[in-house]
Amino acid sequence: MPGFHPSCHARTSPDALALVLADTGETLTYRQLDDGSNRVAQLLRSLGLKPGDRIAVMLRNSPEFAQVYWGATRCGCFVTLLSTHLKPGEAAYIIDDAQAQVLFLSASIGETPQALARDSAELVPGVKRIYHAGDPAADGVMQGAQALSEALAAMPPEPVPDEISGFHMIYSSGTTGRPKGIVLPFTPGPIDEFNALEGALPIYRELDPLVSLNVGPLYHGAPLSGMVTAQRLGGLFVTQRKFDAEGVLAAIDRFRVGVAQFVPTMFVRMLALPDDVRTKYDISSMRLAIHAAAPCPVEIKRRMIEWWGPIIFEYYGSTEGVGATAISAQEWLERPGSVGRGSLGPIHICDETGRELPPGEAGVVYFEALPGRAINYLNDSEKTRKAAHPDHPDWFAVGDIGKLDEDGYLYLTDRKDFMIISGGVNIYPQAIEDCLIVHPQVLDVAVLGVADPEFGEKVKAVVQPKDWADAGPELERDLRAWCAQSISPVTAPREYEFVRELPRLPSGKLAKHELRKLYGNPVAVV
């Protein structure tokens, strides 16, 4: 049996596709992936990088992303993944914190890569070299950076003689302060050995041929895991430069996708398509539709199961990797709203003092970590310490609130940081958002607490209508009546505001820190 690495498949199936961008038409064969990743590894060695050294990557979903990632990780380097939405100062902070020595940028994503390249001496003084990818015409605007294609052309396409596996590091989204690098317990070894930290290999191995789709940004954990796992197994990984709901259905039809992963926002967008659009694509190849990253409203998930059948599989976990749950469609239909039972370590629900709570009571979700799986934030021992339970050093929390039922199924209430305290009452926005998102005229919604002189905070709903022409007093009256059917008067929104678009992180999570800044109730940066 061949090893688990693209280089193995380049020898056996060199012309097979390893990557397709469904919306741009770009492709990458296993021969091209192997050739390009070898040249990247040779480039990093030529710059003096050794196993354990770090690079930083701010690249769009692209063939270059795959080549740079596999190139760095086949010569033992660690890849620090940067969101393409960061401002120059935010990106510079992460690059400096990670001590990255080489920087790879997509030239066409705007101000940040241009600033990092132009002002590198000031913003990222520790970086040895900067390369820009994907746009041959970008030399004029990317002063201070060399074209990656030019640099790789000068490198040999053979493997470096001392190949050893590297890994990646993802920074937290920073919703309540500075983002922190999440250090996972990776052990270097032969490049063709699969590491359990990389993804769910058994699920993917059951599919033949393997065609996997994830249209999220590859600098996030789940999309990256989808790409890495598919390419370790010699399958085809399908993605998009930017999520498009109809484009996803078209890609499933065209490439006969068997397994795909989504965030709930993508479900909402696909369900909002007209019936004639949803039904014109053949999705019968789908065997498994995975979702995670954010809570999925019960009615949205129910509609997806009705549409796609019992292939919807959900997991809950964190980039920190200390625990996880899983639930099948059949289990979920019996327990709507649950995210499943523990699949990676026991679950404990505790109050603010650390006292463990019985089933049915909501509190902080702690996972009892398996040996070697402790949370570790780069350069932040205090945040690492705070993640652990005060009395059980192997129990860890990442800020979620939830409860267990008698059978050990977990139900998430909300993020601890998003809780609203109004007149002494704890209010969790998620339940209100879940109510509003299924209103037929609502496309997206965020609920947050804003300052109130009488109650301390009051509940505000920020709503993106499906049709902007509907925004106004009549829709607000309809939404108030809609909430009155299932939300108590104490927790129902006191204020409504309509916006053309809500800020969401590329992972699908609401950027509530941005909304809090906008509406005057920000969380302090720590």
Side-chain angles (χ1 to χ4, degrees):
M1 174 181 290
F4 298 124
H5 194 268
S7 61
C8 305
H9 309 301
R11 292 191 291 270
T12 59
S13 305
D15 296 323
L17 288 176
L19 176 75
V20 166
L21 271 82
D23 52 348
T24 69
E26 295 169 277
T27 63
L28 190 69
T29 66
Y30 275 96
R31 177 190 285 115
Q32 292 168 329
L33 178 55
D34 187 49
D35 180 280
S37 62
N38 277 327
R39 293 177 187 270
V40 169
Q42 294 279 5
L43 176 64
L44 295 176
R45 282 285 186 271
S46 74
L47 296 173
L49 272 70
K50 308 177 297 298
D53 287 341
R54 298 180 185 134
I55 69 168
V57 170
M58 181 184 275
L59 294 172
R60 303 175 302 174
N61 289 11
S62 60
E64 291 87 356
F65 186 105
Q67 291 174 322
V68 170
Y69 180 84
W70 285 110
T73 57
R74 70 188 298 172
C75 68
C77 289
F78 281 70
V79 183
T80 300
L81 298 162
L82 302 173
S83 166
T84 57
H85 295 266
L86 294 174
K87 297 297 184 184
E90 295 172 320
Y93 164 79
I94 293 175
I95 294 164
D96 177 69
D97 189 65
Q99 299 181 320
Q101 299 183 43
V102 180
L103 180 58
F104 296 87
L105 304 167
S106 284
S108 57
I109 58 177
E111 164 202 8
T112 294
Q114 296 176 27
L116 290 171
R118 182 187 62 245
D119 304 325
S120 59
E122 176 186 349
L123 291 174
V124 287
V127 171
K128 294 181 177 180
R129 197 71 61 88
I130 300 175
Y131 299 96
H132 68 80
D135 186 356
D139 289 322
V141 298
M142 291 296 290
Q143 299 173 17
Q146 182 183 359
L148 180 60
S149 57
E150 176 186 295
L152 296 186
M155 294 293 118
E158 292 78 34
V160 296
D162 57 343
E163 284 190 318
I164 187 171
S165 62
F167 199 54
H168 58 263
M169 181 165 61
I170 296 174
Y171 271 67
S172 66
S173 57
T175 54
T176 59
R178 285 282 200 182
K180 302 298 179 186
I182 297 167
V183 182
L184 296 176
F186 175 77
T187 302
I191 65 168
D192 61 352
E193 289 185 357
F194 185 84
N195 187 293
L197 295 172
E198 291 179 323
L201 184 66
I203 294 176
Y204 287 70
R205 290 186 71 178
E206 296 172 3
L207 300 172
D208 186 21
L210 172 57
V211 183
S212 167
L213 178 145
N214 192 317
V215 296
L218 290 170
Y219 52 78
H220 275 290
L224 178 65
S225 174
M227 184 193 80
V228 168
T229 305
Q231 292 170 353
R232 279 202 178 276
L233 290 169
L236 169 59
F237 180 71
V238 181
T239 189
Q240 292 177 328
R241 180 67 47 78
K242 183 178 181 181
F243 168 70
D244 175 77
E246 183 177 356
V248 165
L249 300 179
I252 292 172
D253 185 345
R254 178 182 177 187
F255 298 105
R256 309 309 296 153
V257 172
V259 57
Q261 182 160 343
F262 304 95
V263 298
T265 305
M266 296 175 182
F267 285 167
V268 173
R269 300 291 196 270
M270 289 190 288
L271 286 165
L273 292 169
D275 288 344
D276 61 332
V277 173
R278 288 202 282 137
T279 56
K280 79 176 184 178
Y281 297 103
D282 180 4
I283 59 169
S284 62
S285 61
M286 284 288 296
R287 297 290 176 266
L288 186 65
I290 305 166
H291 73 96
C296 187
V298 168
E299 185 59 27
I300 295 298
K301 182 163 181 176
R302 195 187 306 278
R303 292 179 188 175
M304 284 301 302
I305 295 173
E306 291 172 354
W307 179 17
W308 285 15
I311 65 169
I312 310 291
F313 176 87
E314 180 175 5
Y315 72 88
Y316 156 69
S318 66
T319 307
E320 286 84 348
V322 293
T325 67
I327 189 167
S328 67
Q330 292 86 347
E331 290 176 288
W332 185 89
L333 288 170
E334 296 171 0
R335 297 172 173 82
S338 174
V339 295
R341 288 192 287 188
S343 59
L344 184 66
I347 303 169
H348 304 274
I349 307 297
C350 302
D351 66 13
E352 293 290 338
T353 68
R355 178 178 64 90
E356 190 161 10
L357 299 172
E361 291 193 31
V364 179
V365 179
Y366 283 89
F367 279 98
E368 186 175 331
L370 299 177
R373 283 286 188 121
I375 283 181
N376 181 12
Y377 293 107
L378 182 70
N379 303 326
D380 198 329
S381 58
E382 180 62 15
K383 184 170 183 176
T384 299
R385 183 190 65 78
K386 287 182 177 179
H389 188 278
D391 302 316
H392 300 276
D394 57 343
W395 296 9
F396 295 93
V398 294
D400 289 323
I401 302 293
K403 62 183 178 181
L404 293 170
D405 67 14
E406 294 288 348
D407 297 317
Y409 283 83
L410 178 63
Y411 295 75
L412 294 178
T413 305
D414 215 322
R415 292 283 299 177
K416 181 180 178 182
D417 300 317
F418 297 160
M419 185 176 72
I420 302 165
I421 303 177
S422 181
V425 177
N426 293 348
I427 300 170
Y428 294 102
Q430 181 185 317
I432 309 168
E433 291 166 352
D434 289 355
C435 172
L436 287 168
I437 195 62
V438 294
H439 187 280
Q441 292 171 274
V442 172
L443 183 63
D444 205 356
V445 61
V447 172
L448 63 155
V450 297
D452 182 84
E454 182 178 0
F455 295 99
E457 285 186 296
K458 61 184 173 184
V459 181
K460 182 184 184 77
V462 185
V463 177
Q464 179 183 346
K466 289 181 179 177
D467 186 343
W468 181 246
D470 292 336
E474 184 176 346
L475 179 55
E476 179 177 337
R477 285 192 294 271
D478 287 348
L479 295 178
R480 288 185 183 278
W482 181 269
C483 283
Q485 298 175 41
S486 55
I487 300 292
S488 75
V490 175
T491 59
R494 301 291 183 90
E495 283 186 3
Y496 285 82
E497 182 163 332
F498 298 105
V499 296
R500 292 185 179 272
E501 186 175 8
L502 279 168
R504 280 192 177 269
L505 301 172
S507 63
K509 297 176 181 177
L510 278 166
K512 286 199 172 177
H513 58 304
E514 295 296 335
L515 288 170
R516 284 172 159 174
K517 291 177 185 176
L518 183 63
Y519 293 108
N521 201 15
V523 174
V525 173
V526 293

